[in-house]
Amino acid sequence: NAGVTQTPKFRVLKTGQSMTLLCAQDMNHEYMYWYRQDPGMGLRLIHYSVGEGTTAKGEVPDGYNVSRLKKQNFLLGLESAAPSQTSVYFCASLSPAWRNTIYFGEGSWLTVV
Amino acid sequence: KNEVEQSPQNLTAQEGEFITINCSYSVGISALHWLQQHPGGGIVSLFMLSSGKKKHGRLIATINIQEKHSSLHITASHPRDSAVYICALFGNEKLTFGTGTRLTIIP
C-alpha cells in the first residue's frame, strides 16, 4: 500500500505496558483513521483526525489516545495495555477533495500477554 | 441494527462463476467504497462510488442511492479472486466498514 506506512508491524506487550503506533502518509491527506480488526467483527474505528491538530473519538476509543501534531503523522497510543487490546491495527488515510480513494497501511499485529 | 450490512458472509463458488456481493446501508453517505483484503491482511481499494456504476477488468460495482444498496460483481471468477471483500461508507468525516464477505473460488 504505497503512501501509508505503519510501525511497528509486530509487537508483543506485557499487560500494563505502554506503546505508540505510528502511521505516516506522504500524500498530503487531510483525513486519517485508526481501526482495530478482530475475528468476525470487521474494522472498528478507534479514533480519527480530519486535519493537523484535530482528533475525534470513534466507536471503540477507550484505552487509546491519539495525536496529530503533523499532517503526515497520526499516532495511536496504548496507555496501559490489556489483553483485550490484542488485535490487528490498521491505519487509513484519504483526501475527500482528491478522488476519495482510501489508502491503508499494512497493519500492525499487537499481542498483549 | 448496523449502519452497513453485507451479504453473504461467506461464499464459495467454482472457477468461472459470476459472483455477486451485496451491501445495504441505512445512513446518508458521501461515497461508498469496495475494498479487498487478502490473507495476510493487506487491504486495497477497488472502487469508490457516489452514483451509478464502475467497471475495472472483471469487477463491476453498482450503487443505488435511493435504495441505499450497492453490489460488487465478479465475472469469470478465478481462484486468485479468493479474498475478503469489504464495503465501506464515507460520510460525516467517518469511514464505517461492513464485516466483509469471505469469497473462496475453487479451481
Side-chain angles (χ1 to χ4, degrees):
Chain A
N1 293 306
V4 180
T5 305
Q6 285 182 231
T7 52
K9 289 187 169 47
F10 300 96
R11 182 78 185 268
V12 178
L13 281 178
K14 293 183 178 179
T15 297
Q17 285 185 320
S18 63
M19 74 162 293
T20 300
L21 296 169
L22 170 63
C23 176
Q25 52 92 6
D26 59 2
M27 297 169 284
N28 204 35
H29 284 171
E30 296 89 353
Y31 290 19
M32 297 185 74
Y33 304 84
W34 274 110
Y35 293 89
R36 58 178 290 172
Q37 187 177 41
D38 302 293
M41 300 191 73
L43 288 152
R44 291 184 293 167
L45 181 62
I46 304 171
H47 286 279
Y48 67 101
S49 169
V50 299
E52 182 178 315
T54 71
T55 63
K57 294 180 180 180
E59 180 186 357
V60 288
D62 293 343
Y64 304 95
N65 57 69
V66 287
S67 65
R68 184 117 181 251
L69 299 179
K70 294 182 179 180
K71 188 175 185 179
Q72 63 267 35
N73 295 336
F74 194 29
L75 281 70
L76 177 70
L78 281 70
E79 301 155 340
S80 178
S84 60
Q85 294 177 303
T86 294
S87 188
V88 183
Y89 292 84
F90 285 95
C91 174
S93 75
L94 65 87
S95 175
W98 176 242
R99 296 176 59 190
N100 216 341
T101 300
I102 308 171
Y103 292 85
F104 286 87
E106 293 182 340
S108 296
W109 276 254
L110 175 65
T111 301
V112 183
V113 297
Chain B
K1 187 180 188 299
N2 292 332
E3 292 181 352
V4 54
E5 300 275 359
Q6 281 188 242
S7 63
Q9 290 186 336
N10 295 283
L11 178 57
T12 300
Q14 294 288 332
E15 181 174 356
E17 287 189 33
F18 181 82
I19 303 299
T20 296
I21 298 170
N22 297 299
C23 176
S24 295
Y25 56 94
S26 58
V27 295
I29 62 171
S30 300
L32 182 144
H33 298 258
W34 282 102
L35 310 161
Q36 181 189 56
Q37 185 173 29
H38 276 283
I43 303 172
V44 295
S45 180
L46 298 174
F47 293 104
M48 186 279 290
L49 296 163
S50 54
S51 64
K53 176 180 176 179
K54 287 189 177 179
K55 184 176 189 291
H56 184 250
R58 295 180 295 106
L59 273 60
I60 302 166
T62 64
I63 188 168
N64 185 318
I65 298 294
Q66 287 72 30
E67 295 186 2
K68 292 186 167 59
H69 182 268
S70 177
S71 293
L72 176 68
H73 306 285
I74 305 174
T75 62
S77 58
H78 189 276
R80 66 175 174 267
D81 296 326
S82 298
V84 176
Y85 292 84
I86 305 170
C87 167
L89 311 179
F90 179 66
N92 292 329
E93 302 175 342
K94 294 182 182 178
L95 276 172
T96 305
F97 292 83
T99 55
T101 294
R102 184 173 300 277
L103 175 64
T104 304
I105 304 297
I106 300 171

